[in-house]
Amino acid sequence: NAGVTQTPKFRILKIGQSMTLQCTQDMNHNYMYWYRQDPGMGLKLIYYSVGAGITDKGEVPNGYNVSRSTTEDFPLRLELAAPSQTSVYFCASSLAGSGKTQYFGPGTRLLVL
Amino acid sequence: DQQVKQNSPSLSVQEGRISILNCDYTNSMFDYFLWYKKYPAEGPTFLISISSIKDKNEDGRFTVFLNKSAKHLSLHIVPSQPGDSAVYFCAASPHSGGSNYKLTFGKGTLLTVNP
């Protein structure tokens, strides 16, 4: 049982490039989330999904896209990377309903130059 | 508009003493609260939670206290150990409604426990 896994661990992008951050969970959780954490700040919700085929915007969705074709996977797509997207990205998952505890992956550190 | 506030960016305590981390919230709809611990280069890990129907929840060395009237919660660690050195995030969630699974996080408090 690996929990929540994220790839890559670290990536450098040039301005205008695109990439996909991968997230997989093996706990059969319905709910999945993407957060970003900027230095000295808390985690801000980018997108979330309550089940396969269902996604919705969080607090800071601009510049990102997501899809959820399976229960296990929740990739985050960055189109036209900008320096403002330099951050650490965390994926998380939780049980549906009253299971509020979210379980986090190790994070992807992204640097946009 | 910060709905969950951790006003102390850092806290330093001696090993064996009590660590008290504080958190304030402004949204009256919040009624479930969690503490997460985060080591460098790792994801946050769940530590302890409390529902608004309680004013205290204890798990080993960790106790969370909730004061609903003051919209304040605190995490007590007794006794503190060097391995507790990490960033601690307070998070909150509304009980009901369409967003009851969403968490709002504070900025975190860096705890350093000195040997």
Side-chain angles (χ1 to χ4, degrees):
Chain A
N1 189 334
V4 180
T5 56
Q6 292 182 238
T7 57
K9 290 185 178 180
F10 176 67
R11 180 78 181 267
I12 299 174
L13 278 183
K14 293 183 179 178
I15 294 172
Q17 287 185 321
S18 61
M19 75 165 293
T20 299
L21 283 66
Q22 302 291 344
C23 175
T24 300
Q25 53 92 9
D26 62 0
M27 297 175 284
N28 203 30
H29 286 172
N30 279 53
Y31 292 5
M32 295 187 75
Y33 315 81
W34 274 106
Y35 293 90
R36 60 178 286 173
Q37 185 194 11
D38 299 328
M41 303 295 288
L43 283 75
K44 293 187 182 297
L45 183 65
I46 305 171
Y47 270 95
Y48 64 95
S49 168
V50 300
I54 306 171
T55 63
D56 207 347
K57 296 177 181 179
E59 187 181 354
V60 289
N62 291 344
Y64 307 95
N65 276 301
V66 293
S67 59
R68 183 97 182 270
S69 56
T70 67
T71 299
E72 296 78 20
D73 300 305
F74 190 39
L76 177 72
R77 178 81 176 165
L78 277 73
E79 305 282 4
L80 297 173
S84 61
Q85 293 178 303
T86 293
S87 190
V88 181
Y89 292 84
F90 292 102
C91 178
S93 70
S94 67
L95 285 168
S98 61
K100 296 178 187 289
T101 302
Q102 295 183 14
Y103 298 88
F104 285 81
T108 293
R109 184 174 297 273
L110 177 66
L111 181 60
V112 182
L113 298 174
Chain B
D1 176 30
Q2 239 186 308
Q3 298 185 64
V4 177
K5 301 178 184 179
Q6 294 178 256
N7 292 320
S8 297
S10 62
L11 174 68
S12 182
V13 299
Q14 286 298 121
E15 181 178 5
R17 306 294 292 270
I18 184 171
S19 295
I20 300 177
L21 295 94
N22 294 304
C23 178
D24 297 293
Y25 62 97
T26 58
N27 189 337
S28 300
M29 297 299 292
F30 289 152
D31 73 347
Y32 192 84
F33 305 90
L34 307 89
W35 285 93
Y36 280 83
K37 176 179 179 180
K38 185 184 179 304
Y39 292 117
E42 294 185 10
T45 55
F46 170 72
L47 192 57
I48 193 169
S49 62
I50 188 167
S51 166
S52 61
I53 62 173
K54 295 184 176 181
D55 54 17
K56 176 182 174 182
N57 189 26
E58 194 170 353
D59 183 1
R61 297 184 297 113
F62 303 91
T63 303
V64 57
F65 295 92
L66 176 62
N67 182 334
K68 281 190 67 178
S69 61
K71 294 189 176 67
H72 176 83
L73 62 155
S74 60
L75 174 68
H76 293 211
I77 307 174
V78 183
S80 301
Q81 300 173 353
D84 296 329
S85 297
V87 176
Y88 289 79
F89 289 101
C90 173
S93 163
H95 171 68
S96 60
S99 301
N100 67 339
Y101 44 83
K102 288 186 187 177
L103 298 180
T104 299
F105 285 83
K107 292 184 178 182
T109 296
L110 173 63
L111 173 66
T112 302
V113 181
N114 301 303

